[in-house]
Amino acid sequence: MRVPLVDLTAQFAPLKDEVMAAIEGVLDSMHLFLGPNTAAFEDEWAAYCGTRACVAVGNGTDALHLALRAADVGPGDEVITVAHTFFATTEAIVLAGATPVYVDIEPDTYLINGEQIASRVTPRTKAIVPVHLYGQMADMDPIMDIAARHNLVVIEDAAQAHGAEYRGRRAGSIGHLGCFSFYYSKNLGAYGEAGAVVGSDPELMRRVRLLRDHGSEQRYYHQSIGFNSRMDEMQAAVLRIKLRHLAAWNAQRRGHAETYARLLAGSSLGLPRIGEDRTHVWYVYVVRSEDRDQLQRRLGEREIGTGIHFPVPVHLQPATRGLGYRAGDLPHTEKAAAEVLSIPMYAELTRAQLDWVASSIEQAQSASTLPVGERG
Ligand SMILES: *Cc1c(COP(=O)(O)O)cnc(C)c1O
């Protein structure tokens, strides 16, 4: 049985008529940018996240970059974040002119270790960027406490956590600004590039709004140097349709995660831990194994799609060599990169597919306990 890691065609089929009509509506109007769909989506996404405002931007990387700049993060500033994340988190910090400073993750949630943050604060520290990885929010209360104590800005990287909750509050609504990607494979995905910044501070949000459109509020009048990072109307129209399904899709993902947890409870794999007071939205379902590569190969032989999020930690990438980190500096991050494996997760998975994935994992695992000489 073929089970892909993600199946976006299964999601598109039931939405097709509505999506095509919405795209046709945008094209008929020829209002392609900063029109009624973008304005409506901004209101709807802010309401969903529980913030006063939202600024729709071109993608998630820009969301982070513009948020950092709006918060006045720039050259000479340090930004505390993690190295176990998609590369864009660091890229945005460097693009803003600042220096990323990494702390390690908690080994069982894969999220930023809040206790290590305080030890990395220096007089140059300006911001903290916690990443809500895999669909689960970081432990925000201690992070907000440290930030308040040292007068730091907190910018949430919520690109993998649409609708995730921490003590009843949604991702993006706890820090000073929250950043989302609507890359097509995310829990809420456009059919092209899209992102958003949410927040409740009017001045910060005004600055993000200026930065996304050439520093301009009124066409051809420019108050500051900005960027071109607008979300286009077709993506906004698609996102408005999909947003109405997000809660149901997240609930289905949650159900699948519970099924996996039950079916895999007896295996020797490391299973994900859900932190206290949190609602996980399962952007990916990540297991860990010291025999990860072999497990991945065996599942591939059975046409089960898997992924590695992420195989090389950010601090050990060639691109970040100049920051001066070395192997061994972030032990939990480095171990996770060597052991994590994402198994199929999307709302439309069937029970038969979940059973097949779980039984295939079990068989792959028992095969790997054969004497060393007989291993494949
Ligand atoms: C996807 C992602 C981004 C970047 O979003 P894009 O829309 O691809 O630019 C940033 N951070 C994390 C954690 C992500 O998963």
Side-chain angles (χ1 to χ4, degrees), residues 59-61 64 85-86 88-89 131 157 159-160 181 183 186 194:
N59 56 67
T61 309
L64 288 161
T85 175
F86 179 57
T89 315
V131 180
D157 183 342
Q160 300 192 1
S181 163
Y183 187 65
K186 308 272 158 122

Side-chain angles (χ1 to χ4, degrees), residues 117-140:
I117 294 176
S119 68
R120 304 307 306 271
V121 173
T122 75
R124 286 202 295 273
T125 307
K126 184 76 179 250
I128 305 172
V129 180
V131 180
H132 305 322
L133 205 71
Y134 298 160
Q136 172 163 231
M137 287 182 71
D139 191 4
M140 290 301 290

Side-chain angles (χ1 to χ4, degrees), residues 81-207:
T81 189
V82 286
H84 185 64
T85 175
F86 179 57
F87 192 64
T89 315
T90 274
E91 240 171 351
I93 294 166
V94 174
L95 285 172
T99 304
V101 172
Y102 301 116
V103 298
D104 211 350
I105 54 167
E106 301 171 337
D108 51 357
T109 63
Y110 307 101
L111 300 168
I112 190 165
N113 183 330
E115 284 168 18
Q116 288 189 9
I117 294 176
S119 68
R120 304 307 306 271
V121 173
T122 75
R124 286 202 295 273
T125 307
K126 184 76 179 250
I128 305 172
V129 180
V131 180
H132 305 322
L133 205 71
Y134 298 160
Q136 172 163 231
M137 287 182 71
D139 191 4
M140 290 301 290
D141 282 351
I143 293 172
M144 296 311 292
D145 285 347
I146 294 169
R149 226 173 310 129
H150 299 278
N151 199 22
L152 309 176
V153 187
V154 176
I155 293 172
E156 297 175 54
D157 183 342
Q160 300 192 1
H162 311 75
E165 291 175 13
Y166 174 86
R167 307 212 157 128
R169 296 172 70 184
R170 289 240 162 101
S173 71
I174 298 181
H176 300 88
L177 292 170
C179 301
F180 289 90
S181 163
F182 304 112
Y183 187 65
Y184 73 124
S185 64
K186 308 272 158 122
N187 288 40
L188 180 61
Y191 291 136
E193 299 283 351
V197 180
V198 297
S200 295
D201 180 315
E203 178 55 20
L204 282 176
M205 294 306 284
R206 191 186 69 85
R207 287 194 209 160

Side-chain angles (χ1 to χ4, degrees), residues 353-364:
Q353 287 177 311
L354 292 165
D355 285 340
W356 173 247
V357 173
S359 64
S360 298
I361 287 174
E362 214 166 282
Q363 283 170 37

